[in-house]
Short mmCIF file of all heavy atoms in Angstrom, two decimals:
data_model
loop_
_atom_site.label_atom_id
_atom_site.label_comp_id
_atom_site.label_asym_id
_atom_site.label_seq_id
_atom_site.Cartn_x
_atom_site.Cartn_y
_atom_site.Cartn_z
N GLY S 246 -20.65 12.22 5.96
CA GLY S 246 -21.85 12.99 6.10
C GLY S 246 -22.35 13.17 7.49
O GLY S 246 -23.16 14.05 7.74
N LYS S 247 -21.85 12.40 8.44
CA LYS S 247 -22.21 12.59 9.84
C LYS S 247 -21.48 13.78 10.46
O LYS S 247 -21.87 14.20 11.55
CB LYS S 247 -21.85 11.29 10.62
CG LYS S 247 -22.67 10.08 10.26
CD LYS S 247 -22.35 8.87 11.19
CE LYS S 247 -21.00 8.28 10.85
NZ LYS S 247 -20.74 7.02 11.67
N TYR S 248 -20.46 14.29 9.77
CA TYR S 248 -19.61 15.30 10.39
C TYR S 248 -19.64 16.64 9.64
O TYR S 248 -19.48 17.69 10.29
CB TYR S 248 -18.17 14.76 10.49
CG TYR S 248 -18.15 13.43 11.25
CD1 TYR S 248 -18.11 12.21 10.56
CD2 TYR S 248 -18.11 13.39 12.64
CE1 TYR S 248 -18.04 11.03 11.23
CE2 TYR S 248 -18.09 12.20 13.32
CZ TYR S 248 -18.07 11.01 12.61
OH TYR S 248 -18.02 9.81 13.29
N VAL S 249 -19.71 16.60 8.31
CA VAL S 249 -19.64 17.85 7.52
C VAL S 249 -20.63 17.72 6.36
O VAL S 249 -21.15 16.66 6.02
CB VAL S 249 -18.18 18.09 6.97
CG1 VAL S 249 -17.28 18.54 8.08
CG2 VAL S 249 -17.70 16.88 6.24
N ASN S 250 -20.86 18.88 5.73
CA ASN S 250 -21.79 18.93 4.55
C ASN S 250 -21.09 18.51 3.26
O ASN S 250 -21.76 17.93 2.37
CB ASN S 250 -22.37 20.33 4.43
CG ASN S 250 -23.29 20.72 5.58
OD1 ASN S 250 -24.02 19.83 6.09
ND2 ASN S 250 -23.24 21.94 6.00
N LYS S 251 -19.81 18.82 3.17
CA LYS S 251 -19.06 18.44 1.98
C LYS S 251 -17.74 17.85 2.42
O LYS S 251 -17.14 18.24 3.44
CB LYS S 251 -18.76 19.71 1.14
CG LYS S 251 -20.02 20.33 0.52
CD LYS S 251 -19.64 21.48 -0.41
CE LYS S 251 -19.01 22.66 0.34
NZ LYS S 251 -18.78 23.82 -0.55
N LEU S 252 -17.26 16.85 1.68
CA LEU S 252 -16.04 16.18 2.06
C LEU S 252 -14.84 17.11 2.14
O LEU S 252 -13.99 16.99 3.03
CB LEU S 252 -15.70 15.01 1.08
CG LEU S 252 -14.53 14.12 1.39
CD1 LEU S 252 -14.63 13.52 2.79
CD2 LEU S 252 -14.42 12.98 0.34
N GLU S 253 -14.76 18.09 1.29
CA GLU S 253 -13.68 19.01 1.30
C GLU S 253 -13.62 19.90 2.55
O GLU S 253 -12.59 20.41 2.93
CB GLU S 253 -13.75 19.96 0.08
CG GLU S 253 -14.91 20.90 0.09
CD GLU S 253 -14.72 22.05 -0.87
OE1 GLU S 253 -13.76 22.03 -1.64
OE2 GLU S 253 -15.57 22.96 -0.86
N ASP S 254 -14.77 20.00 3.26
CA ASP S 254 -14.83 20.80 4.47
C ASP S 254 -13.90 20.28 5.60
O ASP S 254 -13.46 21.04 6.46
CB ASP S 254 -16.24 20.87 4.99
CG ASP S 254 -17.20 21.66 4.09
OD1 ASP S 254 -16.70 22.35 3.22
OD2 ASP S 254 -18.41 21.53 4.26
N LEU S 255 -13.51 19.02 5.48
CA LEU S 255 -12.68 18.44 6.52
C LEU S 255 -11.28 19.07 6.55
O LEU S 255 -10.63 19.04 7.60
CB LEU S 255 -12.53 16.92 6.29
CG LEU S 255 -13.79 16.11 6.44
CD1 LEU S 255 -13.57 14.65 6.03
CD2 LEU S 255 -14.38 16.13 7.88
N LYS S 256 -10.83 19.63 5.48
CA LYS S 256 -9.47 20.16 5.42
C LYS S 256 -9.38 21.59 6.01
O LYS S 256 -8.28 22.09 6.18
CB LYS S 256 -8.94 20.19 4.02
CG LYS S 256 -9.61 21.13 3.06
CD LYS S 256 -8.97 21.01 1.63
CE LYS S 256 -9.57 21.96 0.67
NZ LYS S 256 -8.97 21.90 -0.68
N TYR S 257 -10.52 22.20 6.30
CA TYR S 257 -10.50 23.56 6.82
C TYR S 257 -10.35 23.58 8.35
O TYR S 257 -10.97 22.78 9.06
CB TYR S 257 -11.77 24.29 6.38
CG TYR S 257 -11.91 24.40 4.89
CD1 TYR S 257 -13.07 23.95 4.26
CD2 TYR S 257 -10.83 24.86 4.09
CE1 TYR S 257 -13.21 24.02 2.86
CE2 TYR S 257 -10.99 24.89 2.72
CZ TYR S 257 -12.18 24.50 2.10
OH TYR S 257 -12.31 24.54 0.73
N GLU S 258 -9.54 24.51 8.81
CA GLU S 258 -9.19 24.54 10.22
C GLU S 258 -10.38 24.66 11.16
O GLU S 258 -10.39 24.07 12.25
CB GLU S 258 -8.19 25.70 10.49
CG GLU S 258 -7.55 25.68 11.84
CD GLU S 258 -6.43 26.65 11.95
OE1 GLU S 258 -6.00 27.23 10.98
OE2 GLU S 258 -6.00 26.87 13.13
N GLU S 259 -11.38 25.37 10.74
CA GLU S 259 -12.55 25.56 11.62
C GLU S 259 -13.31 24.25 11.86
O GLU S 259 -14.14 24.16 12.75
CB GLU S 259 -13.51 26.60 11.04
CG GLU S 259 -14.10 26.31 9.68
CD GLU S 259 -13.28 26.87 8.54
OE1 GLU S 259 -12.02 27.09 8.73
OE2 GLU S 259 -13.83 27.10 7.45
N ASN S 260 -13.01 23.21 11.01
CA ASN S 260 -13.68 21.95 11.18
C ASN S 260 -12.79 20.86 11.76
O ASN S 260 -13.05 19.68 11.61
CB ASN S 260 -14.23 21.47 9.84
CG ASN S 260 -15.31 22.38 9.25
OD1 ASN S 260 -16.16 22.91 9.97
ND2 ASN S 260 -15.26 22.63 7.95
N SER S 261 -11.74 21.33 12.44
CA SER S 261 -10.70 20.37 12.94
C SER S 261 -11.27 19.27 13.82
O SER S 261 -10.89 18.09 13.69
CB SER S 261 -9.61 21.12 13.64
OG SER S 261 -8.88 21.97 12.77
#
Side-chain angles (χ1 to χ4, degrees):
K247 293 185 287 185
Y248 305 97
V249 288
N250 294 322
K251 295 184 293 184
L252 184 54
E253 67 163 7
D254 292 345
L255 295 173
K256 69 179 181 179
Y257 299 127
E258 189 170 351
E259 61 267 25
N260 296 320
S261 293

